Amino acid sequence: MNSKKIVALIILTLADLIIFDVFINVCTEYLWFESLNYGCIFVEMLKYKLSTFLLAFSITFTILTLNAVLLKRAIIEFMGERIRYFHEIDAIVSLAVAYGFSEHWLKLVFFMNSTDFNLKDPIFGYDVSFFVFKLPFVEIILQIVAFATFLCFVNSFVYYIYHFRWVRSWEEFKEVFPDLGYLHISILFAILFFLIGVYLYVERFELLFSQHGVVSGASWVEVNVLMPALLLMSFVSFGFGLACLKIRGFERVALLFGIYIIVVTFALGVI
């Protein structure tokens, strides 16, 4: 049995298992809702679950596909011929990720049907509805992008190691590694820095929900020290991401990442 048939068999098996599980759950829940004359509510809930599934799948598969384009071009630049890339595996992984994140469909409901409270947050100036209805969904999207980026790192590592497995030394590997490969690595690390920057920026909002014993809310230190520090570290992360796009070479990227770790560690120590 060749590799294509094995991959096709795996896809069909997983698809059958997922479809069977979904069919059993959907039918059971629909019959229960219909018995209470709430069948229309179940249909709406199913629409949001499907929308969340499709959104997560689209984001994950798009990121993996873009990574595959850069990866294939880099390897083709060195080998001079096309390589076999298993897009089917990307599709399987994307389906699995989408299936897992579809459980957060309720956050999409809140996001799409948010209503202003006409009450401004005194620190950021946003309507309180932003923190209740929209922020949780934004965090889910960020998690999907971050997980897809992690998969890109793993995928790229496996493919590069496999296609350059004949290289016997680090110096030889640096010499034969293609320029597009260096660009690909720089882009991946730049995305990583950008994601860290976005995470730090969003994390400022979470400080509003800090718990201090029986008291809930941001303290003076969090408002006047932690929030500005997180904002500064966020901009620093964006700056490192832009710098990463302009450099080439494993040592330079590793040095840049090491400097970033030192800066973050120093900032956290000062705070």
Side-chain angles (χ1 to χ4, degrees), residues 2 12 54 84 118 145 148 151-152 209 227-228 248:
N2 58 38
L12 291 175
L54 292 176
R84 178 71 175 98
N118 295 321
V145 174
L151 293 175
C152 289
F209 306 98
M227 288 183 182
R248 301 292 183 271

Side-chain angles (χ1 to χ4, degrees), residues 164-258:
F164 291 91
R165 61 189 182 279
W166 52 270
V167 178
R168 297 185 178 181
S169 66
W170 177 248
E171 294 299 326
E172 183 182 1
F173 180 75
K174 290 189 297 181
E175 285 184 18
V176 300
F177 198 71
D179 292 335
L180 276 177
Y182 284 120
L183 176 62
H184 179 210
I185 298 300
S186 296
I187 291 175
L188 284 179
F189 274 93
I191 294 174
L192 176 61
F193 284 124
F194 290 145
L195 283 174
I196 294 174
V198 174
Y199 171 79
L200 293 173
Y201 186 87
V202 173
E203 189 64 19
R204 298 179 308 136
F205 301 137
E206 292 295 335
L207 293 177
L208 297 178
F209 306 98
S210 299
Q211 194 71 32
H212 308 279
V214 295
V215 179
S216 180
S219 65
W220 185 93
V221 173
E222 288 167 331
V223 173
N224 295 279
V225 179
L226 287 180
M227 288 183 182
L230 287 175
L231 182 61
L232 177 60
M233 291 167 62
S234 174
F235 288 141
V236 169
S237 300
F238 294 144
F240 272 86
L242 293 174
C244 197
L245 291 174
K246 296 184 178 181
I247 63 175
R248 301 292 183 271
F250 294 109
E251 287 90 349
R252 293 180 180 180
V253 173
L255 178 61
L256 187 67
F257 192 75

Side-chain angles (χ1 to χ4, degrees), residues 73-84:
R73 288 186 177 182
I75 296 177
I76 290 173
E77 179 185 325
F78 169 71
M79 299 182 64
E81 59 183 15
R82 299 180 65 86
I83 65 170
R84 178 71 175 98

Side-chain angles (χ1 to χ4, degrees), residues 133-146:
F133 299 127
K134 297 181 179 180
L135 182 61
F137 183 71
V138 172
E139 292 175 339
I140 288 298
I141 297 298
L142 184 59
Q143 290 176 22
I144 296 173
V145 174

